Amino acid sequence: MSLAGEGAVAIWHDIAPEGRADFYAWHGQEHMPERVGIPGFLRGRRYVAIEADLEFFNLYEAQTVEVLKGQDYTARVNAPTPWTLSAVKHFRSVARSICRVAHTAGPAQGGLIATLRYDVPDEAAESHKAALLRGLIPDLLARPGVAGLHLLTADAQASGVATAEQKARGVANAVPRWVLLLEGWGDEADFIALAKAELASDRLAGLGGEAPFTLGLYRHQITRTKTQWSAG
């Protein structure tokens, strides 16, 4: 399924064992409803690792990147709730980008997702995107069991803003510049084999991508859509 808007927040992280139960309660009951309640936010999803460097992947979809740089979202990330302040202290090794959706396509939302974080030199950005659209993306969308494929590019300036919520986490925030998301609906073993073969570092490097290439394989845990709930 195509992503719901033109902007996205992509977050990868670990959780300390002692904060795991509280993280699940907070994230599903307060944080995700709070985020998708912000004007312009459309949907939030969380995934847990099958095989990845960071255990959790969270994806929030918004109408535009401007929503993610706007007053409503900025006010929220700079006024964390008491539960947020408690929960995020258990975050470890965070990677987070505010992104533009450079391309999105697919017939469905899959229960499996592969995330590829990597870089592209600025001078090669347009040629790299064109190469993906000519070959890799349509080829993958034609494969059995592929639900969607999405290309995200980070807004480096917006992603680098230090918010009160980020400071409360107490860990440095890496900013992935380019992200490919591959969604699937089949068996895990088949999906993992497909993702490892088609999103291999040498293939992306041949299309203008640049290391480090970080591939993560995840299964879906929860989706929250727009509600009337808001925190505060």
Side-chain angles (χ1 to χ4, degrees):
M1 178 182 290
S2 297
L3 297 188
E6 298 175 359
V9 184
I11 309 168
W12 299 257
H13 63 89
D14 285 333
I15 289 290
E18 64 272 17
R20 191 178 186 86
D22 191 51
F23 165 73
Y24 275 127
W26 161 77
H27 201 253
Q29 296 171 28
E30 181 184 271
H31 189 67
M32 295 184 81
E34 173 198 88
R35 285 296 188 261
V36 297
I38 295 170
F41 272 65
L42 302 170
R43 179 169 60 173
R45 290 185 265 172
R46 186 184 72 234
Y47 299 81
V48 67
I50 301 167
E51 183 181 329
D53 64 325
L54 298 175
E55 185 176 12
F56 293 99
F57 170 61
N58 309 280
L59 182 67
Y60 294 97
E61 297 160 63
Q63 289 174 339
T64 65
V65 177
E66 283 62 41
V67 167
L68 305 174
K69 298 191 285 186
Q71 180 178 355
D72 292 317
Y73 183 47
T74 300
R76 176 47 50 204
V77 294
N78 281 310
T81 68
W83 200 359
T84 295
L85 290 173
S86 173
V88 300
K89 291 178 182 178
H90 300 291
F91 276 52
R92 301 291 183 268
S93 303
V94 177
R96 173 184 177 272
S97 295
I98 290 176
C99 300
R100 298 182 183 277
V101 178
H103 184 77
T104 179
Q109 177 183 322
L112 303 169
I113 196 166
T115 74
L116 182 68
R117 312 193 304 266
Y118 65 108
D119 205 353
V120 177
D122 290 342
E123 64 273 14
E126 289 303 318
S127 61
H128 174 67
K129 180 181 175 182
L132 291 177
L133 293 174
R134 280 196 308 270
L136 181 64
I137 289 176
D139 289 350
L140 278 172
L141 287 170
R143 300 289 289 272
V146 171
L149 196 66
H150 322 293
L151 176 64
L152 312 180
T153 58
D155 183 312
Q157 182 176 4
S159 301
V161 173
T163 67
E165 190 172 301
Q166 179 183 329
K167 293 174 183 176
R169 290 197 293 264
V171 293
N173 179 67
V175 178
R177 294 187 67 235
W178 287 70
V179 179
L180 266 173
L181 302 177
L182 172 66
E183 296 192 63
W185 60 49
D187 291 332
E188 284 188 5
D190 292 339
F191 178 75
I192 289 169
L194 174 68
K196 287 184 174 180
E198 299 300 328
L199 302 181
S201 299
D202 57 351
R203 182 166 190 188
L204 270 295
L207 298 175
E210 193 170 79
F213 296 95
T214 306
L215 179 64
L217 302 157
Y218 296 85
R219 62 174 175 82
H220 178 259
Q221 285 192 314
I222 183 174
T223 292
R224 295 296 301 251
T225 54
K226 181 72 73 178
T227 70
Q228 295 302 313
W229 187 94
S230 62

